[in-house]
Amino acid sequence: MTKSAQFDFQNDFPHDFTWGVATSSFQIEGAWDADGKGPSIWDTFCLDKANIKDGSDGTVACDHYHRYREDVALMASLGVDAYRFSMAWARVQPDGKGAWNEAGFDFYSRLLDALAEKNIRAHITLYHWDLPQGLQDDGGWLNRDTAYRFADYAREVARRFGDRVEAIATHNEPWCTANLGYGNAQFAPGVRDLKQSIQVSHHLLLSHGLAMTAMREVGSSAKLGIVLNQWTADAATDSQADRDMAEFEYARSVQWFMDPIFKGHYPELALRGHGDNAPVVHDGDFAIIQQKIDFLGCNYYFRSWCSAAVPPVPAPARHGVTDMGWEIFPEGLPELLLKLKAEYPDLPPVYITENGMANADTIEGGQVHDPERIAYVRSHLAALKEAMDAGVNVQGYFLWSLLDNFEWNSGYAKRFGIVHVDYATQQRTLKDSALWYREFIAARATA
Ligand code: IFM
């Protein structure tokens, strides 16, 4: 492919399309107890070395708390329009309730200043899984009261920063909090209980609705929304069992979070399937949850492949798999977005808030060659453009991730960054994918 052909398709995107990169607090900040920060459930979870594949933790991570200026300069050098990051709740409210920590707010204020200096717009996420341990001690997301504490936190953030950021998302991937945190114990707080995980998903949705109202009350000018991890679910074969499995999977994962927000109820199929594990819902909960959102953040990585056979029929993986073992399936992105557009007539503008891949990158002679990641991003952008041409209103794309970082229970072994991090020295090195993304974004200037 000629160089110009590589970047030409940039001009297919609208001129004002937002090109960004994304991270989250626990995965990059480190400074786990600096300046009054309280512990989060991930600090606690990492204390048990068996929970994290390489026995690591987030105490230092990418040391972004101390190196944010360098990281903002890196972003500026890439020419991104926007940066999506999350706030560590326990940094600004150590116990998750009660007193605010001014030093914690100061950090985010300095970060916003640094971004503004470089004309990089901020998209913040309030909750990317690091619940203050103080709230976990009171029952965590299983306790309905946590939803109200979350609304207090959202209100305070919107009051302080609502006019300095372009967008605020309440949650990142509540599916993960519920299913991995409470369903299969892979994530903090490490509970394995299906009934609890379903109740938690309801409290997360409730907290989203309460937070939306709280933020609107303070008159924030930021766009307000939520970020969901989403996929299509494909039956491995034509068998009834596989087709039923795929239908249920889509209902319990995607529609479970979309229907309450857009339709004011849970999907019937999933509710029936959950039987006695269905959540306790109070009168009026759906009215709280069903708030108009200004944007939907969609995180897309793979499709769900559904096989009821034992052993299961493997996914074809025509485009290969990533270092996480996830099937690369760009075709699923337009399929998903078109399905959402058809199912939810009130679908607001969409941002692809995460997309990217883990790759077994190595640094050689100061360079990291990651053609796999370039191909991944390129193919997903081409797929995204298909959805946009078919009428889906997509306004931006955030590559996951700016930096290699703490990949939850996989520790530091899985590298998602377009910037390589040497954890021993904290040296940052642009990978080939970062250089590619920079040229891709810059190609717009000549449009
Ligand atoms: O690293 C995570 C991120 O925190 C949430 N979305 C998926 C990414 C890759 O697993």
Side-chain angles (χ1 to χ4, degrees):
M1 192 183 308
T2 63
K3 186 165 174 180
S4 62
Q6 266 207 55
F7 300 109
D8 255 9
F9 82 109
Q10 158 69 260
N11 293 332
D12 297 341
F13 286 88
H15 199 70
D16 59 356
F17 195 77
T18 296
W19 296 105
V21 285
T23 65
S24 87
S25 48
F26 191 79
Q27 293 180 274
I28 66 164
E29 284 181 3
W32 77 281
D33 63 349
D35 303 329
K37 177 182 170 292
S40 80
I41 55 173
W42 271 92
D43 291 312
T44 308
F45 193 62
C46 292
L47 291 176
D48 182 346
K49 297 292 169 202
N51 284 335
I52 313 296
K53 288 196 182 88
D54 61 5
S56 62
D57 58 42
T59 51
V60 177
C62 305
D63 197 28
H64 172 77
Y65 186 77
H66 299 111
R67 294 166 195 265
Y68 71 93
R69 284 192 182 284
E70 184 190 338
D71 292 336
V72 171
L74 268 179
M75 285 183 250
S77 82
L78 296 177
V80 298
D81 303 309
Y83 174 44
R84 171 175 179 250
F85 63 96
S86 74
M87 291 181 60
W89 185 351
R91 206 177 276 298
V92 301
Q93 193 179 31
D95 213 23
K97 53 191 182 288
W100 304 109
N101 179 30
E102 291 307 322
F105 278 118
D106 282 353
F107 167 66
Y108 293 110
S109 182
R110 291 195 304 276
L111 175 58
L112 290 176
D113 283 344
L115 290 167
E117 262 170 43
K118 302 287 186 193
N119 284 322
I120 298 172
R121 306 191 299 270
H123 283 227
I124 63 177
T125 303
L126 296 173
Y127 187 75
H128 199 123
W129 310 347
D130 39 359
L131 188 76
Q133 181 61 42
L135 289 180
Q136 189 62 39
D137 297 341
D138 295 342
W141 287 111
L142 196 56
N143 180 352
R144 187 178 164 93
D145 192 55
T146 299
Y148 292 84
R149 301 290 70 75
F150 181 70
D152 293 342
Y153 160 56
R155 182 183 299 104
E156 188 63 13
V157 173
R159 191 180 71 74
R160 293 180 184 238
F161 295 146
D163 293 334
R164 297 173 65 190
V165 302
E166 181 165 49
I168 304 179
T170 52
H171 284 279
N172 179 74
E173 303 181 351
W175 181 95
C176 292
T177 305
N179 288 274
L180 308 182
Y182 283 83
N184 64 14
Q186 284 181 11
F187 282 10
V191 177
R192 190 188 304 273
D193 184 314
L194 179 62
K195 191 172 176 62
Q196 286 192 23
S197 80
I198 295 169
Q199 188 62 51
V200 161
S201 69
H202 181 66
H203 291 160
L204 290 165
L205 281 160
L206 180 69
S207 76
H208 158 77
L210 291 166
M212 291 294 295
T213 306
M215 291 192 286
R216 290 227 161 95
E217 272 166 15
V218 297
S220 155
S221 66
K223 297 176 205 170
L224 307 179
I226 187 168
V227 171
L228 303 175
N229 49 329
Q230 300 184 312
W231 45 72
T232 51
D234 288 347
T237 71
D238 242 4
S239 74
Q240 191 60 46
D242 287 359
R243 283 188 286 135
D244 287 350
M245 191 176 173
E247 217 190 324
F248 183 67
E249 163 62 14
Y250 185 75
R252 74 160 206 105
S253 301
V254 177
Q255 293 173 326
W256 187 261
F257 292 94
M258 291 290 283
D259 283 13
I261 295 173
F262 291 99
K263 299 182 176 172
H265 57 76
Y266 283 117
E268 194 43 49
L269 177 69
L271 259 190
R272 238 185 302 126
H274 287 326
D276 290 347
N277 292 324
V280 174
V281 175
H282 292 197
D283 282 351
D285 279 3
F286 286 121
I288 294 171
I289 297 168
Q290 196 182 7
Q291 303 288 321
K292 181 186 163 297
I293 55 175
D294 303 322
F295 72 92
L296 173 71
C298 168
N299 291 356
Y300 178 81
Y301 288 93
F302 48 68
R303 67 170 155 181
S304 177
W305 181 254
C306 302
S307 168
V310 184
V313 175
R318 278 194 307 277
H319 310 289
V321 292
T322 71
D323 202 30
M324 298 293 280
W326 297 347
E327 183 192 15
I328 299 173
F329 193 65
E331 298 90 327
L333 181 55
E335 193 185 322
L336 167 71
L337 294 175
L338 286 165
K339 207 166 148 68
L340 296 180
K341 182 176 158 61
E343 277 175 53
Y344 305 99
D346 297 333
L347 191 72
V350 174
Y351 286 93
I352 302 303
T353 30
E354 285 182 27
N355 176 242
M357 75 181 285
N359 199 41
D361 301 319
T362 51
I363 184 155
E364 284 157 36
Q367 296 185 320
V368 180
H369 302 304
D370 56 345
E372 303 84 355
R373 185 173 286 107
I374 297 174
Y376 181 101
V377 173
R378 219 183 169 283
S379 63
H380 283 78
L381 289 180
L384 177 61
K385 191 59 188 39
E386 266 177 46
M388 292 167 68
D389 289 344
V392 185
N393 180 0
V394 184
Q395 300 201 339
Y397 174 89
F398 291 82
L399 216 165
W400 184 270
S401 176
L402 170 69
L403 302 170
D404 288 337
N405 59 50
F406 179 79
E407 178 53 25
W408 308 112
N409 62 339
S410 300
Y412 296 98
K414 302 295 178 199
R415 293 182 177 269
F416 271 91
I418 56 172
V419 176
H420 181 273
V421 177
D422 177 335
Y423 296 109
T425 61
Q426 290 296 343
Q427 170 85 34
R428 275 75 161 140
T429 304
L430 300 189
K431 300 181 189 178
D432 286 355
S433 55
L435 304 175
W436 181 88
Y437 199 43
R438 171 159 78 190
E439 283 205 56
F440 177 75
I441 294 170
R444 171 179 52 187
T446 60

